[in-house]
PDB file of all heavy atoms in Angstrom:
ATOM      1  N   ILE A  44      -2.789   1.329  15.336  1.00 93.00           N
ATOM      2  CA  ILE A  44      -1.744   0.447  14.717  1.00 93.00           C
ATOM      3  C   ILE A  44      -0.764   0.283  15.810  1.00 93.00           C
ATOM      4  O   ILE A  44      -0.263   1.203  16.443  1.00 93.00           O
ATOM      5  CB  ILE A  44      -1.097   1.079  13.482  1.00 93.00           C
ATOM      6  CG1 ILE A  44      -2.082   1.301  12.401  1.00 93.00           C
ATOM      7  CG2 ILE A  44       0.125   0.195  13.100  1.00 93.00           C
ATOM      8  CD1 ILE A  44      -1.434   2.008  11.173  1.00 93.00           C
ATOM      9  N   GLN A  45      -0.403  -1.046  16.005  1.00 93.00           N
ATOM     10  CA  GLN A  45       0.636  -1.325  17.007  1.00 93.00           C
ATOM     11  C   GLN A  45       1.745  -2.153  16.301  1.00 93.00           C
ATOM     12  O   GLN A  45       1.439  -3.238  15.739  1.00 93.00           O
ATOM     13  CB  GLN A  45       0.069  -2.122  18.201  1.00 93.00           C
ATOM     14  CG  GLN A  45       1.067  -2.505  19.176  1.00 93.00           C
ATOM     15  CD  GLN A  45       0.458  -3.157  20.444  1.00 93.00           C
ATOM     16  OE1 GLN A  45      -0.742  -3.283  20.559  1.00 93.00           O
ATOM     17  NE2 GLN A  45       1.293  -3.631  21.294  1.00 93.00           N
ATOM     18  N   GLU A  46       2.925  -1.646  16.335  1.00 91.00           N
ATOM     19  CA  GLU A  46       4.089  -2.345  15.767  1.00 91.00           C
ATOM     20  C   GLU A  46       5.038  -2.528  16.896  1.00 91.00           C
ATOM     21  O   GLU A  46       4.895  -2.050  18.002  1.00 91.00           O
ATOM     22  CB  GLU A  46       4.724  -1.518  14.668  1.00 91.00           C
ATOM     23  CG  GLU A  46       3.759  -1.415  13.478  1.00 91.00           C
ATOM     24  CD  GLU A  46       4.458  -0.606  12.322  1.00 91.00           C
ATOM     25  OE1 GLU A  46       4.794   0.602  12.497  1.00 91.00           O
ATOM     26  OE2 GLU A  46       4.651  -1.191  11.259  1.00 91.00           O
ATOM     27  N   THR A  47       6.071  -3.296  16.625  1.00 90.00           N
ATOM     28  CA  THR A  47       7.095  -3.581  17.615  1.00 90.00           C
ATOM     29  C   THR A  47       7.663  -2.347  18.240  1.00 90.00           C
ATOM     30  O   THR A  47       7.780  -2.213  19.438  1.00 90.00           O
ATOM     31  CB  THR A  47       8.318  -4.362  17.032  1.00 90.00           C
ATOM     32  OG1 THR A  47       7.663  -5.441  16.280  1.00 90.00           O
ATOM     33  CG2 THR A  47       9.169  -4.904  18.098  1.00 90.00           C
ATOM     34  N   ASP A  48       7.971  -1.312  17.429  1.00 90.00           N
ATOM     35  CA  ASP A  48       8.628  -0.117  17.891  1.00 90.00           C
ATOM     36  C   ASP A  48       7.779   1.170  17.780  1.00 90.00           C
ATOM     37  O   ASP A  48       8.231   2.272  17.906  1.00 90.00           O
ATOM     38  CB  ASP A  48       9.888   0.138  17.099  1.00 90.00           C
ATOM     39  CG  ASP A  48       9.646   0.254  15.610  1.00 90.00           C
ATOM     40  OD1 ASP A  48       8.581  -0.180  15.133  1.00 90.00           O
ATOM     41  OD2 ASP A  48      10.553   0.707  14.940  1.00 90.00           O
ATOM     42  N   GLN A  49       6.436   0.978  17.540  1.00 90.00           N
ATOM     43  CA  GLN A  49       5.625   2.202  17.316  1.00 90.00           C
ATOM     44  C   GLN A  49       4.183   1.874  17.638  1.00 90.00           C
ATOM     45  O   GLN A  49       3.667   0.861  17.345  1.00 90.00           O
ATOM     46  CB  GLN A  49       5.786   2.635  15.835  1.00 90.00           C
ATOM     47  CG  GLN A  49       5.011   3.855  15.491  1.00 90.00           C
ATOM     48  CD  GLN A  49       5.259   4.284  14.052  1.00 90.00           C
ATOM     49  OE1 GLN A  49       5.491   3.438  13.134  1.00 90.00           O
ATOM     50  NE2 GLN A  49       5.253   5.583  13.775  1.00 90.00           N
ATOM     51  N   LEU A  51       0.437   3.921  16.999  1.00 94.00           N
ATOM     52  CA  LEU A  51      -0.276   5.149  16.436  1.00 94.00           C
ATOM     53  C   LEU A  51      -1.667   5.105  16.835  1.00 94.00           C
ATOM     54  O   LEU A  51      -2.382   4.121  16.712  1.00 94.00           O
ATOM     55  CB  LEU A  51      -0.203   5.009  14.865  1.00 94.00           C
ATOM     56  CG  LEU A  51       1.151   5.280  14.201  1.00 94.00           C
ATOM     57  CD1 LEU A  51       1.049   5.152  12.765  1.00 94.00           C
ATOM     58  CD2 LEU A  51       1.736   6.639  14.570  1.00 94.00           C
ATOM     59  N   LEU A  56      -2.765   8.674  13.153  1.00 97.00           N
ATOM     60  CA  LEU A  56      -2.871   8.091  11.837  1.00 97.00           C
ATOM     61  C   LEU A  56      -3.614   8.997  10.888  1.00 97.00           C
ATOM     62  O   LEU A  56      -3.226   9.189   9.741  1.00 97.00           O
ATOM     63  CB  LEU A  56      -3.586   6.705  11.980  1.00 97.00           C
ATOM     64  CG  LEU A  56      -3.784   5.924  10.702  1.00 97.00           C
ATOM     65  CD1 LEU A  56      -2.493   5.627  10.006  1.00 97.00           C
ATOM     66  CD2 LEU A  56      -4.532   4.603  11.031  1.00 97.00           C
ATOM     67  N   LEU A  80       1.410   3.466  -5.540  1.00 90.00           N
ATOM     68  CA  LEU A  80       1.963   3.312  -4.269  1.00 90.00           C
ATOM     69  C   LEU A  80       2.929   2.102  -4.245  1.00 90.00           C
ATOM     70  O   LEU A  80       2.599   1.023  -4.794  1.00 90.00           O
ATOM     71  CB  LEU A  80       0.921   3.080  -3.198  1.00 90.00           C
ATOM     72  CG  LEU A  80      -0.125   4.142  -2.972  1.00 90.00           C
ATOM     73  CD1 LEU A  80      -1.140   3.619  -1.958  1.00 90.00           C
ATOM     74  CD2 LEU A  80       0.509   5.385  -2.522  1.00 90.00           C
ATOM     75  N   ILE A  81       4.109   2.249  -3.805  1.00 91.00           N
ATOM     76  CA  ILE A  81       5.089   1.122  -3.558  1.00 91.00           C
ATOM     77  C   ILE A  81       5.116   0.979  -2.025  1.00 91.00           C
ATOM     78  O   ILE A  81       5.536   1.849  -1.304  1.00 91.00           O
ATOM     79  CB  ILE A  81       6.403   1.438  -4.125  1.00 91.00           C
ATOM     80  CG1 ILE A  81       6.334   1.700  -5.625  1.00 91.00           C
ATOM     81  CG2 ILE A  81       7.437   0.297  -3.761  1.00 91.00           C
ATOM     82  CD1 ILE A  81       7.620   2.123  -6.313  1.00 91.00           C
ATOM     83  N   LEU A  82       4.566  -0.176  -1.612  1.00 90.00           N
ATOM     84  CA  LEU A  82       4.392  -0.293  -0.166  1.00 90.00           C
ATOM     85  C   LEU A  82       5.337  -1.336   0.458  1.00 90.00           C
ATOM     86  O   LEU A  82       5.686  -2.338  -0.109  1.00 90.00           O
ATOM     87  CB  LEU A  82       2.914  -0.766   0.138  1.00 90.00           C
ATOM     88  CG  LEU A  82       1.853   0.123  -0.434  1.00 90.00           C
ATOM     89  CD1 LEU A  82       0.510  -0.502  -0.281  1.00 90.00           C
ATOM     90  CD2 LEU A  82       1.849   1.424   0.253  1.00 90.00           C
ATOM     91  N   ASP A  83       5.759  -1.020   1.671  1.00 88.00           N
ATOM     92  CA  ASP A  83       6.500  -1.923   2.542  1.00 88.00           C
ATOM     93  C   ASP A  83       5.545  -2.383   3.633  1.00 88.00           C
ATOM     94  O   ASP A  83       4.403  -1.855   3.751  1.00 88.00           O
ATOM     95  CB  ASP A  83       7.720  -1.173   3.071  1.00 88.00           C
ATOM     96  CG  ASP A  83       8.775  -2.056   3.608  1.00 88.00           C
ATOM     97  OD1 ASP A  83       8.598  -3.374   3.537  1.00 88.00           O
ATOM     98  OD2 ASP A  83       9.750  -1.625   4.128  1.00 88.00           O
ATOM     99  N   HIS A  84       5.940  -3.192   4.458  1.00 87.00           N
ATOM    100  CA  HIS A  84       5.105  -3.669   5.604  1.00 87.00           C
ATOM    101  C   HIS A  84       5.131  -2.539   6.662  1.00 87.00           C
ATOM    102  O   HIS A  84       6.029  -1.747   6.781  1.00 87.00           O
ATOM    103  CB  HIS A  84       5.661  -4.898   6.247  1.00 87.00           C
ATOM    104  CG  HIS A  84       5.595  -6.067   5.326  1.00 87.00           C
ATOM    105  ND1 HIS A  84       4.361  -6.705   5.028  1.00 87.00           N
ATOM    106  CD2 HIS A  84       6.528  -6.751   4.585  1.00 87.00           C
ATOM    107  CE1 HIS A  84       4.580  -7.641   4.167  1.00 87.00           C
ATOM    108  NE2 HIS A  84       5.852  -7.673   3.899  1.00 87.00           N
ATOM    109  N   GLY A  85       4.074  -2.446   7.421  1.00 89.00           N
ATOM    110  CA  GLY A  85       4.036  -1.513   8.525  1.00 89.00           C
ATOM    111  C   GLY A  85       3.083  -0.387   8.433  1.00 89.00           C
ATOM    112  O   GLY A  85       2.278  -0.269   7.453  1.00 89.00           O
ATOM    113  N   SER A  86       3.139   0.510   9.352  1.00 92.00           N
ATOM    114  CA  SER A  86       2.214   1.625   9.439  1.00 92.00           C
ATOM    115  C   SER A  86       2.346   2.552   8.253  1.00 92.00           C
ATOM    116  O   SER A  86       1.298   3.080   7.861  1.00 92.00           O
ATOM    117  CB  SER A  86       2.461   2.391  10.714  1.00 92.00           C
ATOM    118  OG  SER A  86       3.722   2.912  10.755  1.00 92.00           O
ATOM    119  N   SER A  87       3.513   2.631   7.631  1.00 93.00           N
ATOM    120  CA  SER A  87       3.605   3.542   6.435  1.00 93.00           C
ATOM    121  C   SER A  87       2.668   3.055   5.311  1.00 93.00           C
ATOM    122  O   SER A  87       2.202   3.878   4.532  1.00 93.00           O
ATOM    123  CB  SER A  87       5.061   3.624   5.984  1.00 93.00           C
ATOM    124  OG  SER A  87       5.508   2.334   5.628  1.00 93.00           O
ATOM    125  N   SER A  88       2.448   1.775   5.232  1.00 94.00           N
ATOM    126  CA  SER A  88       1.533   1.257   4.233  1.00 94.00           C
ATOM    127  C   SER A  88       0.063   1.735   4.456  1.00 94.00           C
ATOM    128  O   SER A  88      -0.562   2.217   3.520  1.00 94.00           O
ATOM    129  CB  SER A  88       1.484  -0.275   4.224  1.00 94.00           C
ATOM    130  OG  SER A  88       2.741  -0.815   3.944  1.00 94.00           O
ATOM    131  N   ILE A  89      -0.380   1.671   5.689  1.00 94.00           N
ATOM    132  CA  ILE A  89      -1.738   2.143   6.028  1.00 94.00           C
ATOM    133  C   ILE A  89      -1.837   3.661   5.849  1.00 94.00           C
ATOM    134  O   ILE A  89      -2.831   4.078   5.246  1.00 94.00           O
ATOM    135  CB  ILE A  89      -2.036   1.765   7.488  1.00 94.00           C
ATOM    136  CG1 ILE A  89      -1.887   0.218   7.760  1.00 94.00           C
ATOM    137  CG2 ILE A  89      -3.495   2.182   7.868  1.00 94.00           C
ATOM    138  CD1 ILE A  89      -2.695  -0.641   6.839  1.00 94.00           C
ATOM    139  N   ILE A  90      -0.817   4.395   6.255  1.00 95.00           N
ATOM    140  CA  ILE A  90      -0.851   5.806   6.053  1.00 95.00           C
ATOM    141  C   ILE A  90      -0.853   6.187   4.526  1.00 95.00           C
ATOM    142  O   ILE A  90      -1.646   7.030   4.154  1.00 95.00           O
ATOM    143  CB  ILE A  90       0.435   6.460   6.701  1.00 95.00           C
ATOM    144  CG1 ILE A  90       0.301   6.351   8.215  1.00 95.00           C
ATOM    145  CG2 ILE A  90       0.540   7.916   6.267  1.00 95.00           C
ATOM    146  CD1 ILE A  90       1.648   6.664   8.939  1.00 95.00           C
ATOM    147  N   SER A  91      -0.108   5.467   3.791  1.00 94.00           N
ATOM    148  CA  SER A  91      -0.030   5.720   2.319  1.00 94.00           C
ATOM    149  C   SER A  91      -1.431   5.428   1.695  1.00 94.00           C
ATOM    150  O   SER A  91      -1.867   6.169   0.869  1.00 94.00           O
ATOM    151  CB  SER A  91       1.015   4.829   1.664  1.00 94.00           C
ATOM    152  OG  SER A  91       2.282   5.215   2.148  1.00 94.00           O
ATOM    153  N   ILE A  92      -1.994   4.262   1.977  1.00 94.00           N
ATOM    154  CA  ILE A  92      -3.272   3.893   1.455  1.00 94.00           C
ATOM    155  C   ILE A  92      -4.353   4.976   1.811  1.00 94.00           C
ATOM    156  O   ILE A  92      -5.106   5.469   0.942  1.00 94.00           O
ATOM    157  CB  ILE A  92      -3.724   2.498   1.900  1.00 94.00           C
ATOM    158  CG1 ILE A  92      -2.737   1.499   1.258  1.00 94.00           C
ATOM    159  CG2 ILE A  92      -5.135   2.194   1.490  1.00 94.00           C
ATOM    160  CD1 ILE A  92      -2.884   0.039   1.822  1.00 94.00           C
TER     161      ILE A  92
END
Side-chain angles (χ1 to χ4, degrees):
I44 298 176
Q45 180 175 355
E46 295 182 296
T47 312
D48 60 342
Q49 185 178 27
L51 288 178
L56 180 57
L80 300 174
I81 299 173
L82 303 173
D83 197 3
H84 295 286
S86 60
S87 61
S88 299
I89 305 301
I90 292 167
S91 298
I92 292 166

